[in-house]
Amino acid sequence: MKNKMKTKRFLLWMIFVFLCQSNFAQYVGQHAEITKVNTRIPVKAYAFDLPEVRLLKSRFKDNLEREQNWLLNLPNARLLHSFYINAGISTFDSLSKTLMPHPLGGWEALDMEVRGHSMGHILSALALQYASTGDPRFRKKGDSLVAELAKVQSALNEGGYLSAFPEHYIDRVIADQSVWAPWYTLHKIFAGLHDMYWLTGNKQALDVETAMASWAYDKLSPLPKDSLAKMLQDEFGGMSEAMFNLYSVTGNPRHLQLAKMFYHHAALDPLVEQQDKLNHMHANTLIPKIIGEARGYELTGDEKDHALTTFFWDDVVKNHTYANGGNSDRELFFQPGKISEHLGANTTETCNTYNMLKLTRHLFTWDANEKYAEYYEQALYNHILGQQDPQSGMDTYYTAMEPGAFRIYSSFDKSFWCCVGTGFESHSKYGEAIYYHDDKGVFVNLFIPSELSWKEKGFTLLQETAFPDEPNISFTIKQTGNENVSLYIRYPAWATSGAVVKVNGKKIKIEDKPGSYITISRKWKQGDKVEVAYPMSLRWVPTPDNPAKAAIAYGPVLLAGEMGTDGMHTPESFLDTLDPFGYYGYDFRVPADLIHTLKAKDKELNTLLKPVPGSPLTFVTAEGVAAKPVTLRPFYDLHNERYVVYWDLQ
């Protein structure tokens, strides 16, 4: 018995050691060949490299292609204009004998202190598009921008400093003087350069990023702790995450020290103690700090980082998240659970959701818990997917929860809000969280038409579906090796009507419950098929503090009421007069007779709404439920018109 116990302990220890020595870049499992720092934690799921997943025709691919057009049509000269001016590089084109095109507008205008932030997002988006599609146009454009940024860095001749604004902005924030988030802007450039190296292999991008890090280390390392603490009161984006990521591919201890310099005790220590002190905190200032500590946990094994990260995620999803997966009101967290008091015009900043999804990916690799995939699906379908206008390809900043609101979109070259920047990335990486793997099989987390090529196993999986318009998903094994491969197919928590699973046409017994994974393990043959169906049902999504205010979902899809266009400004006339902050506190001029009340007391939800024949995911209120019939359809489809998400129930 003692020998058996010793053998068991030895095997468990060897598994732990193997997992802890697995290399990874930004997410567990990706681009191990370029990493120099081993993980310090055991993990349960690994991310695939983006080139291993290809999207097939779907609304996700449509969004991705619209984003491609925007990225490719933004002139490099305009993106670089403010960088040239800051470095004293002439904007006169000697070949054409004319001035280069003027800089971009909105937050990228020359009088805006965060000018240059979009460059980082665009570098990341170009790298993500290249990884997602293999299209060399994105790498070529990104390489060209990196080469010009290297020239700017050289011209500045300030020890590696690179930005579209002068270095004294950094001196001002260190001195606790007024300035708009210079480290936030530099973080975007750090991250964009890193993505160009990580996803396209551009070595020059790593050289420029490393030089920037040397400048940052020299700038910050002499500072006393109290000066650093004052500096960290200003928004600094994901600087800690960027430095942890750089450390992972260089192994340079200075990069690790830099990451730790951006640990913000005042904001993070209460989370270590499992305390929600988020009220009035700026959400998109805080969430990137948490992502940094998640990355730090993976590279250092510091349990403090694990504690604060998991507590924060659970708390935000439970107490601060709207039905669309977003959070914040006027960009701030509020008292836990008080959603019903914050259904206004400036809710669910899109950057917050972009960052919550980044954080969720880290946590899923640690635990492979279905709840993380559940949230990812909720936020992806009901917030990120609907951020982009399908007509113009432009993006929203807020997604208002005010009854009668409508989406306000950016412009091609005049806005460049923070959420435009994260939007460039979000709509370029839809393949990132569909699949994960362990050493035995594939996790299927999202039901999106796609093809997975697991190179390590010689395993190719085709996913075909019209989900969520239809509840059926089909998987075909296109290529396989000689070993057993498990399919861990997510059994969503919303699938309370059960599941039907067939393997090669034969129905199999399901003993798993919603909120878990259905495991099918076998030695597959080419052409084998798995068919899965998750019948959907209507459900209330009440606010935590007031059950008389609730949204409605059908399966994973948030539904919203169509409210027409009465009194709306057209996007064109709105943007013509939009100042850089005109979206903030915007008056939607909601008609006084807007319907936002449903007579639902003591009634089953499926008696209140009736499906519209021939229109998937579309319902109409039954007679007497509303003042007049209201049509509800997926919130991600309601563009250029008013809507109601949360209803007053009587």
Side-chain angles (χ1 to χ4, degrees):
M1 179 63 73
K2 285 185 177 180
N3 288 337
K4 286 184 178 180
M5 289 297 293
K6 286 181 178 179
T7 300
K8 184 176 181 180
R9 288 172 182 168
F10 175 77
L11 289 173
L12 289 172
W13 171 250
M14 289 303 293
I15 290 170
F16 176 83
V17 170
F18 170 76
L19 290 170
C20 285
Q21 290 182 345
S22 300
N23 286 323
F24 60 97
Q26 293 185 25
Y27 295 105
V28 180
Q30 294 182 322
H31 299 280
E33 70 278 2
I34 65 171
T35 62
K36 294 184 179 179
V37 179
N38 291 336
T39 71
R40 297 292 183 266
I41 64 168
V43 296
K44 292 185 178 179
Y46 297 88
F48 284 101
D49 292 337
L50 269 175
E52 294 181 275
V53 181
R54 289 290 184 254
L55 294 182
L56 304 177
K57 185 64 178 174
S58 67
R59 64 177 64 247
F60 293 98
K61 191 172 183 182
D62 291 343
N63 272 28
L64 178 136
E65 290 175 348
R66 280 187 287 267
E67 209 68 26
Q68 291 174 352
N69 293 332
W70 195 0
L71 287 165
L72 292 174
N73 283 296
L74 282 170
N76 282 14
R78 296 189 68 186
L79 291 168
L80 290 159
H81 193 109
S82 55
F83 286 87
Y84 288 153
I85 289 176
N86 187 47
I89 297 175
S90 174
T91 57
F92 183 79
D93 187 341
S94 59
L95 292 178
S96 64
K97 306 297 182 183
T98 60
L99 288 173
M100 291 182 183
H102 57 85
L104 301 168
W107 286 20
E108 286 298 333
L110 287 174
D111 60 348
M112 299 296 281
E113 290 182 332
V114 293
R115 59 189 180 274
H117 76 107
S118 298
M119 173 64 79
H121 286 298
I122 286 168
L123 286 174
S124 291
L126 291 168
L128 290 163
Q129 286 278 358
Y130 174 72
S132 295
T133 66
D135 188 330
R137 293 178 298 168
F138 301 105
R139 180 174 179 173
K140 182 179 178 181
K141 186 178 178 76
D143 287 348
S144 176
L145 290 170
V146 169
E148 292 303 307
L149 289 174
K151 293 178 185 177
V152 170
Q153 188 178 55
S154 178
L156 284 167
N157 194 26
E158 295 175 353
Y161 179 73
L162 171 63
S163 180
F165 54 71
E167 186 180 355
H168 72 75
Y169 282 22
I170 298 295
D171 296 330
R172 282 162 57 186
V173 75
I174 290 173
D176 199 23
Q177 297 173 358
S178 177
V179 63
W180 186 10
W183 282 113
Y184 167 92
T185 303
L186 291 189
H187 160 247
K188 310 312 169 196
I189 299 172
F190 272 111
L193 291 166
H194 192 83
D195 285 340
M196 280 298 299
Y197 171 65
W198 177 56
L199 294 169
T200 77
N202 185 315
K203 180 64 167 57
Q204 186 179 35
L206 181 62
D207 292 340
V208 174
E209 181 191 10
T210 303
M212 287 181 70
S214 294
W215 162 82
Y217 183 86
D218 292 341
K219 194 81 171 177
L220 298 183
S221 57
L223 297 181
K225 288 184 179 179
D226 61 335
S227 294
L228 275 176
K230 289 180 181 178
M231 182 189 80
L232 297 181
Q233 295 175 28
D234 190 74
E235 185 175 8
F236 56 82
M239 277 300 302
S240 57
E241 178 203 14
M243 294 302 98
F244 278 125
N245 283 335
L246 183 58
Y247 168 64
S248 75
V249 299
T250 66
N252 187 332
R254 285 191 168 194
H255 299 154
L256 177 60
Q257 292 173 47
L258 257 177
K260 292 182 177 181
M261 289 179 198
F262 284 93
Y263 181 91
H264 189 197
H265 285 276
L268 299 176
D269 286 353
L271 297 171
V272 177
E273 301 301 322
Q274 313 286 282
Q275 298 174 3
D276 182 335
K277 293 189 176 181
L278 304 185
N279 191 28
H280 299 307
M281 292 187 72
H282 188 258
N284 200 49
T285 295
L286 182 58
I287 303 170
K289 297 173 185 177
I290 311 300
I291 298 171
E293 298 317 303
R295 191 73 180 101
Y297 171 59
E298 293 165 352
L299 294 175
T300 68
D302 189 337
E303 284 297 328
K304 165 180 62 65
D305 291 333
H306 180 268
L308 75 88
T309 302
T310 52
F311 171 77
F312 175 82
W313 189 93
D314 286 334
D315 182 48
V316 169
V317 171
K318 178 182 178 182
N319 295 315
H320 297 274
T321 297
Y322 296 87
N324 71 332
N327 61 67
S328 81
D329 183 10
R330 299 178 74 87
E331 305 190 8
L332 305 177
F333 286 121
F334 38 76
Q335 288 286 0
K338 299 295 185 180
I339 296 287
S340 73
E341 298 176 9
H342 295 273
L343 301 176
N346 298 125
T347 47
T348 69
E349 180 186 357
T350 316
C351 283
N352 301 354
T353 304
Y354 157 89
N355 277 312
M356 280 298 294
L357 292 182
K358 287 184 70 174
L359 177 61
T360 301
R361 293 202 71 203
H362 285 287
L363 271 60
F364 182 80
T365 62
W366 305 349
D367 297 329
N369 191 316
E370 193 272 342
K371 71 179 182 180
Y372 298 122
E374 198 80 29
Y375 171 74
Y376 199 102
E377 179 183 63
Q378 175 192 5
L380 181 70
Y381 274 93
N382 301 313
H383 195 182
I384 298 299
L385 185 60
Q387 182 202 14
Q388 187 194 87
D389 177 16
Q391 294 181 22
S392 66
M394 299 296 101
D395 292 337
T396 63
Y397 190 117
Y398 297 120
T399 300
M401 293 293 111
E402 179 181 354
F406 50 87
R407 289 178 164 100
I408 297 172
Y409 309 106
S410 61
S411 63
F412 175 79
D413 63 354
K414 295 178 183 176
S415 307
F416 290 97
W417 311 315
C418 54
C419 297
V420 170
T422 54
F424 281 129
E425 297 182 46
S426 291
H427 305 302
S428 298
K429 59 175 185 173
Y430 285 120
E432 70 170 9
I434 303 173
Y435 308 101
Y436 295 81
H437 71 90
D438 61 14
D439 61 331
K440 294 181 180 179
V442 175
F443 293 89
V444 180
N445 274 6
L446 299 173
F447 309 120
I448 295 175
S450 53
E451 183 168 299
L452 167 69
S453 298
W454 190 3
K455 296 176 183 177
E456 182 184 353
K457 297 285 188 182
F459 183 79
T460 302
L461 182 69
L462 174 68
Q463 180 180 173
E464 297 173 291
T465 181
F467 183 90
D469 287 359
E470 298 176 3
N472 307 309
I473 308 108
S474 173
F475 301 96
T476 303
I477 311 301
K478 293 186 66 176
Q479 182 182 346
T480 186
N482 294 319
E483 59 183 300
N484 279 23
V485 174
S486 297
L487 290 182
Y488 313 117
I489 302 173
R490 181 169 147 257
Y491 191 170
W494 50 258
T496 55
S497 298
V500 178
V501 180
K502 296 179 181 178
V503 177
N504 293 330
K506 184 177 180 180
K507 187 175 178 180
I508 64 173
K509 186 177 180 181
I510 302 299
E511 296 181 350
D512 306 279
K513 302 297 182 185
S516 65
Y517 286 86
I518 298 169
T519 300
I520 307 172
S521 182
R522 59 189 289 169
K523 188 178 289 186
W524 300 97
K525 296 178 182 178
Q526 186 175 349
D528 281 349
K529 286 201 171 189
V530 177
E531 297 167 283
V532 182
Y534 295 121
M536 300 182 200
S537 56
L538 292 164
R539 57 190 174 90
W540 292 111
V541 187
T543 59
D545 55 323
N546 184 358
K549 285 187 181 290
I552 299 171
Y554 185 64
V557 178
L558 180 63
L559 303 177
E562 296 179 345
M563 292 295 152
T565 59
D566 235 17
M568 279 180 54
H569 298 283
T570 65
E572 292 79 12
S573 64
F574 174 77
L575 288 167
D576 284 344
T577 59
L578 178 62
D579 67 58
F581 308 103
Y583 54 84
Y584 200 82
Y586 182 73
D587 182 1
F588 287 102
R589 303 178 190 177
V590 178
D593 60 350
L594 181 93
I595 298 172
H596 56 88
T597 300
L598 300 179
K599 296 180 180 179
K601 189 176 181 180
D602 301 326
K603 295 179 182 178
E604 294 291 331
L605 181 53
N606 59 6
T607 67
L608 304 178
L609 302 179
K610 301 299 180 183
V612 176
S615 299
L617 308 178
T618 304
F619 299 82
V620 65
T621 53
E623 185 176 355
V625 172
K628 61 181 180 180
V630 175
T631 298
L632 291 87
R633 56 190 176 96
F635 187 38
Y636 54 67
D637 270 344
L638 275 164
H639 291 275
N640 297 293
E641 62 180 302
R642 298 185 186 275
Y643 54 74
V644 171
V645 173
Y646 280 94
W647 304 88
D648 291 320
L649 307 182
Q650 293 181 348

